[in-house]
Amino acid sequence: MNPTITAFERSPDGGRGLARDTRVRWAIEEVGQPYAVRRVSFKAMKQPAHLALHPFGQIPTFEDGDLALFETGAIVLHIAERHPGLLPKDPNARARAITWMFAALNTVEPPILDREQTPYVVGDKPWCAELLPLLDDRVRHRLRQLSAHLGHSEWLDGAFSAGDLMMVSVLLRLKSLALLEEFPNLKAYLARGEARPAYQRAFAAQLLVNAGKPPAD
Ligand code: GTB
């Protein structure tokens, strides 16, 4: 049996690849494994059958035999550890690649999410317009640090790894904001990630089911 992941029945982003199943699809494509997708509605995500897989009622999940995982960090790490292609063999290089996965999820993604979600959550408050530039600055600060580390390198630490896969996935969320324009090396890094054939396959697969408006649920 091939592993099965879950994804939105129809992503609210209409196929822009921003829902987190895309990074899992990308990891599976990088290691060249077949997989199946079970699409779930927002309603089904909160039902006991899905909650048994994902205690927070979200996507994506990953099932392989009697193993069920949630959290994209854990899922991508699991895939990378079981198949060659996403983690270096050298133990120290491997540990550093995993460090970059954590950095993407714990250090770079949170300020990006705060910036992205604030307009949805408190966009009607009079102080929201003052808050957004402050949140932009928090993102800018992290991007400046990441940009300084990357410099003219192709990837974060030697060859492409699960750390890059996660960092590019996180940075993709900035595509609708102007901030990335300030960091040409990060923009080019993102473009390199998106150009990878495995990413292209993952993106195309999610686009196939997500293009168009999401159904009312
Ligand atoms: N930390 C978890 C992980 O990394 O796996 C976060 C999982 C998560 O946030 N899942 C979201 C979800 O299931 C989908 S990806 N949300 C439904 C819910 O909580 O009820 C987040 C997401 C959703 C939609 C867009 N979009 O439309 O642009 C982008 C990202």
Side-chain angles (χ1 to χ4, degrees), residues 6-22 25 37-45 59 204-217:
T6 52
F8 283 133
E9 185 174 49
R10 189 84 71 81
S11 176
D13 73 358
R16 290 167 60 216
L18 299 176
R20 284 182 175 83
D21 58 290
T22 303
R25 292 173 185 265
V37 181
R38 190 172 63 252
R39 292 157 64 205
V40 286
S41 67
F42 278 94
K43 196 171 164 190
M45 265 179 241
I59 59 96
Q206 66 76 36
L207 182 65
L208 204 61
V209 291
N210 290 327
K213 278 190 169 154
D217 200 356

Side-chain angles (χ1 to χ4, degrees), residues 24-204:
V24 173
R25 292 173 185 265
W26 184 8
I28 301 174
E29 292 286 357
E30 286 284 352
V31 300
Q33 292 295 308
Y35 68 104
V37 181
R38 190 172 63 252
R39 292 157 64 205
V40 286
S41 67
F42 278 94
K43 196 171 164 190
M45 265 179 241
K46 312 302 173 197
Q47 302 298 316
H50 189 75
L51 287 170
L53 293 173
H54 196 311
F56 304 109
Q58 297 184 311
I59 59 96
T61 57
F62 174 95
E63 293 157 81
D64 193 5
D66 56 5
L67 175 69
L69 296 174
F70 61 97
E71 283 298 331
T72 52
I75 297 169
V76 171
L77 181 57
H78 172 82
I79 294 163
E81 280 185 327
R82 270 153 189 81
H83 304 279
L86 281 172
L87 286 174
K89 283 199 175 72
D90 172 73
N92 285 356
R94 197 177 178 94
R96 288 197 304 273
I98 294 170
T99 299
W100 279 112
M101 291 181 66
F102 278 86
L105 294 172
N106 288 348
T107 304
V108 179
E109 190 165 47
I112 292 176
L113 289 182
D114 286 348
R115 172 59 183 84
E116 186 189 80
Q117 289 171 2
T118 293
Y120 299 113
V121 180
V122 291
D124 58 340
K125 307 288 181 209
W127 39 262
C128 184
E130 282 176 53
L131 180 59
L132 290 180
L134 303 179
L135 296 179
D136 278 347
D137 277 346
R138 289 182 66 225
V139 175
R140 194 174 277 118
H141 179 59
R142 283 287 176 255
L143 294 184
R144 193 175 298 120
Q145 293 170 317
L146 185 64
S147 169
H149 170 85
L150 183 67
H152 297 295
S153 304
E154 195 177 12
W155 305 112
L156 289 168
D157 189 337
F160 176 84
S161 77
D164 294 295
L165 183 150
M166 204 54 91
M167 192 64 81
V168 168
S169 299
V170 162
L171 295 179
L172 277 169
R173 305 187 74 123
L174 288 171
K175 269 185 96 174
S176 59
L177 301 176
L179 278 170
L180 218 46
E181 299 297 325
E182 298 170 30
F183 303 95
N185 68 336
L186 294 184
K187 217 180 145 191
Y189 172 66
L190 196 60
R192 276 193 293 280
E194 286 182 289
R196 291 182 71 81
Y199 177 82
Q200 293 289 320
R201 288 194 295 274
F203 185 87

